[in-house]
Amino acid sequence: MEDCINFFVEEIAFKLNNEDSICDWILSCITDHGRECGEINFIFCSDEYLIEMNKEHLAHDFYTDILTFPYSEPGKDPIISDIYISVDRVKENADTLAIPFLDELHRVMIHGVLHLLGYDDHAEADILKMRAKENEALLSRTFSSES
């Protein structure tokens, strides 16, 4: 189970610090929801890379910060997924919100995991619940967001 979370980079220069601590944090969130991690791959990429995926797989022609592709059945263990994150979009969102880049990156990462745990963000009530769960998960981090 310790190798069930992997980090990759596509077409950009990016290095995630504290990989082990981030893995522990994500695994804790998953097990706190009574679920089991099979394999989750986080792929960090550019806006252009992600918009092409958004067009190809979802027929959406707009920028996004994250695309989550679940490969296991909803509600079934183990959780298997690829989560693509645009580092460009996360940086821009962090600047717009005037928050540290890593805080926004961690929020986006756990947002993808929460989707895999069954949370949705289409209706206003679901968006509020998702944001509350993101905040709860961010508060549970035992590592510094500055690292």
Side-chain angles (χ1 to χ4, degrees), residues 5-147:
I5 297 175
N6 305 295
F7 303 101
F8 302 97
V9 176
E10 285 291 335
E11 299 183 358
I12 61 168
F14 178 75
K15 173 69 176 129
L16 183 66
N17 295 325
N18 284 339
E19 287 184 4
D20 290 341
S21 296
I22 291 171
C23 285
D24 291 345
W25 170 57
I26 291 168
L27 284 173
S28 176
C29 183
I30 291 169
T31 57
D32 286 352
H33 282 81
R35 301 292 304 281
E36 180 185 326
C37 182
E39 183 173 18
I40 299 175
N41 297 309
F42 286 91
I43 303 98
F44 301 99
C45 59
S46 67
D47 266 350
E48 295 310 314
Y49 188 93
L50 202 54
I51 196 171
E52 289 306 316
M53 292 196 70
N54 210 6
K55 289 176 188 176
E56 179 181 341
H57 296 285
L58 300 174
H60 295 163
D61 189 7
F62 55 83
Y63 291 108
T64 186
D65 51 7
I66 185 169
L67 289 177
T68 303
F69 294 98
Y71 302 124
S72 46
E73 291 183 44
K76 302 285 184 181
D77 286 330
I79 295 171
I80 302 169
S81 177
D82 287 334
I83 299 175
Y84 290 82
I85 296 175
S86 168
V87 174
D88 298 328
R89 189 76 8 226
V90 171
K91 283 180 184 173
E92 186 171 308
N93 291 345
D95 289 346
T96 299
L97 297 168
I99 62 172
F101 167 76
L102 288 175
D103 284 349
E104 181 64 7
L105 179 64
H106 296 159
R107 178 180 300 282
V108 171
M109 291 174 74
I110 208 65
H111 181 92
V113 171
L114 289 168
H115 274 305
L116 298 172
L117 294 171
Y119 294 92
D120 200 357
D121 59 356
H122 295 293
E124 186 63 32
D126 294 334
I127 292 169
L128 293 173
K129 188 172 187 177
M130 174 73 90
R131 185 49 56 111
K133 286 295 182 182
E134 289 169 6
N135 290 337
E136 180 181 311
L138 289 169
L139 289 172
S140 75
R141 290 179 300 189
T142 57
F143 55 94
S144 169
S145 66
E146 298 300 316
S147 317

